[in-house]
Amino acid sequence: MNQERKVIVGMKHRVMVVALFAVITSPVCAAKLSGPPRILDGNTIELEKTKLRLSGIDAPETDQICLDARGRKWACGVAARDELIKHSNGRTWDCHTTGVDEYGRSRGSCFIEGENVNAWMVRSGWALSSGPYTYAIYELVASTAYAGLWSGAFIAPWDWRRRNKGTVIIGASSVPIDAQELLLGSALLSDPPSSECLIKGTVDRNGERIYHLPGQLGYEQIDMTKKSGERWLCSEAEAEATGWRKAAR
């Protein structure tokens, strides 16, 4: 019995040491932010001049297209952003950051009047659980209720960004037989997903992500169906928050 107690105490000690080490060596100190945010997409906001990505979830980019219950294309990425804006309704968010992502955005969890926004996005079907599957139970709830993205067929956000002809299309019920053609066709993004998303993002030969505004030189000549990695963007703030640089002219 004493031996078991020593083992348990030893394990607790090791856990405490590891946790303390993680805090000490963290590249970014945790911070608290509060106020009504500017919502850039389904998992990116700007609060107190800080761009923050909701951790543990992945929402569709604003250029993502999904299929509805009848197999018709719809701008699910724009819808996810708009649903988050509607749910926020100008209320104050309280966010706790814990680090940064590859684009320099803070990562963290946010709350509206005590409600976890990250969890709400997954539970409502507008995002998927990612990372250590923190919100996996809410994903199951959403898929069972055919909520949000789960009302039809779609590509997981992380697969959408690197999609090809072999990308898997998922859904809570059945996936239409022509889903591959509709969601993976070369001409899918020839037109913007929404009339407000007119910024063209292109990737140059060096892999740099550059965005072009309507009216800029060469904008009209950019063919959005030619290269992989190109996408439509809805605002300069969204573009810059996700690693795009404005074209020089």
Side-chain angles (χ1 to χ4, degrees), residues 112-143:
I112 302 176
E113 298 174 359
E115 177 188 54
N116 187 316
V117 179
N118 307 43
W120 181 87
M121 283 295 289
V122 178
R123 188 174 66 248
S124 301
W126 298 114
L128 299 186
S129 178
S130 66
Y133 307 107
T134 307
Y135 303 108
I137 185 63
Y138 298 118
E139 188 173 302
L140 177 61
V141 170
S143 63

Side-chain angles (χ1 to χ4, degrees), residues 4-158:
E4 290 181 0
R5 185 174 299 171
K6 288 180 180 179
V7 170
I8 292 172
V9 171
M11 289 176 63
K12 287 182 178 179
H13 177 72
R14 284 194 294 273
V15 169
M16 291 175 64
V17 169
V18 170
L20 181 59
F21 179 80
V23 171
I24 294 173
T25 59
S26 174
V28 177
C29 294
K32 293 183 179 180
L33 305 172
S34 185
R38 179 182 183 185
I39 296 169
L40 305 179
D41 65 27
N43 53 217
T44 307
I45 67 167
E46 187 170 18
L47 181 59
E48 292 188 11
K49 298 182 179 181
T50 298
K51 292 182 174 64
L52 184 148
R53 189 187 191 287
L54 301 178
S55 59
I57 73 171
D58 202 350
E61 307 284 2
T62 52
D63 70 326
Q64 184 162 344
I65 303 297
C66 300
L67 301 180
D68 65 16
R70 297 184 180 181
R72 299 172 301 189
K73 292 187 290 186
W74 64 297
C76 57
V78 172
R81 180 204 62 189
D82 291 349
E83 288 297 324
L84 182 55
I85 292 173
K86 187 188 304 182
H87 184 67
S88 178
N89 195 30
R91 293 182 290 173
T92 293
W93 289 34
D94 295 304
C95 300
H96 308 275
T97 67
T98 55
V100 296
D101 69 3
E102 59 187 306
Y103 301 123
R105 296 175 294 186
S106 295
R107 283 183 174 274
S109 298
C110 296
F111 300 82
I112 302 176
E113 298 174 359
E115 177 188 54
N116 187 316
V117 179
N118 307 43
W120 181 87
M121 283 295 289
V122 178
R123 188 174 66 248
S124 301
W126 298 114
L128 299 186
S129 178
S130 66
Y133 307 107
T134 307
Y135 303 108
I137 185 63
Y138 298 118
E139 188 173 302
L140 177 61
V141 170
S143 63
T144 303
Y146 305 105
L149 307 176
W150 297 100
S151 62
F154 63 99
I155 295 171
W158 49 83

Side-chain angles (χ1 to χ4, degrees), residues 102 157-164 167:
E102 59 187 306
W158 49 83
D159 286 333
W160 172 265
R161 302 182 191 104
R162 302 173 179 82
R163 62 192 181 281
N164 55 51
T167 298

